[in-house]
Amino acid sequence: QVQLVESGGGLVQPGGSLRLSCVASGSSFSINNMGWYRQAPGKERELVAVTSSGGSTNYEDSVKGRFTASRDNAKNTLFLQMNSLKPEDTAVYYCNADIYSGRLMRYLEVWGQGTLVTVSS
């Protein structure tokens, strides 16, 4: 069984920065795309950034130039550096990964439990 565990959320003032981490753990797996999603209160979950195994990244328009996603493939870890945070960035941030399970011999979509980011003065 493959699990994703996020960390790094918290309370930050507008204009501040946070760095989220997501670590994938388990056995006999490989990761294709990894991404960050967020869900604000009363809103649907939305894509923030998705990174391919080759390192290319696509961002949601509202975070371009402020957020940077990166991967450490050797450590099965995905990061999200968030700068110039705004109150509208307040949400639960979820890690997502497209994973091939060698044990099950099929692809799986795996989600983390989420980490809360609150941007407020």
Side-chain angles (χ1 to χ4, degrees):
Q1 182 178 0
V2 180
Q3 293 183 324
L4 302 178
V5 178
E6 303 103 331
S7 61
L11 173 64
V12 63
Q13 292 186 343
S17 298
L18 280 176
R19 189 188 196 212
L20 306 183
S21 300
C22 169
V23 180
S25 63
S27 61
S28 301
F29 70 95
S30 60
I31 304 174
N32 189 11
N33 293 335
M34 288 187 84
W36 291 99
Y37 289 73
R38 66 185 179 186
Q39 187 166 19
K43 295 187 177 181
E44 293 186 354
R45 191 173 297 188
E46 65 175 0
L47 176 68
V48 175
V50 59
T51 301
S52 71
S53 57
S56 62
T57 305
N58 291 312
Y59 296 94
E60 194 269 331
D61 286 345
S62 69
V63 307
K64 287 180 179 178
R66 300 189 298 122
F67 291 9
T68 302
S70 60
R71 286 174 65 164
D72 184 338
N73 290 328
K75 296 182 178 180
N76 294 321
T77 302
L78 177 69
F79 302 99
L80 185 66
Q81 178 66 43
M82 304 186 294
N83 299 327
S84 303
L85 282 161
K86 304 175 181 180
E88 51 263 43
D89 294 317
T90 295
V92 178
Y93 284 71
Y94 297 91
C95 181
N96 170 274
D98 296 323
I99 290 175
Y100 180 77
S101 168
R103 184 176 67 85
L104 299 176
M105 299 182 68
R106 64 183 179 95
Y107 285 93
L108 306 170
E109 183 181 33
V110 182
W111 290 90
Q113 82 288 352
T115 184
L116 177 62
V117 172
T118 303
V119 184
S120 175
S121 56

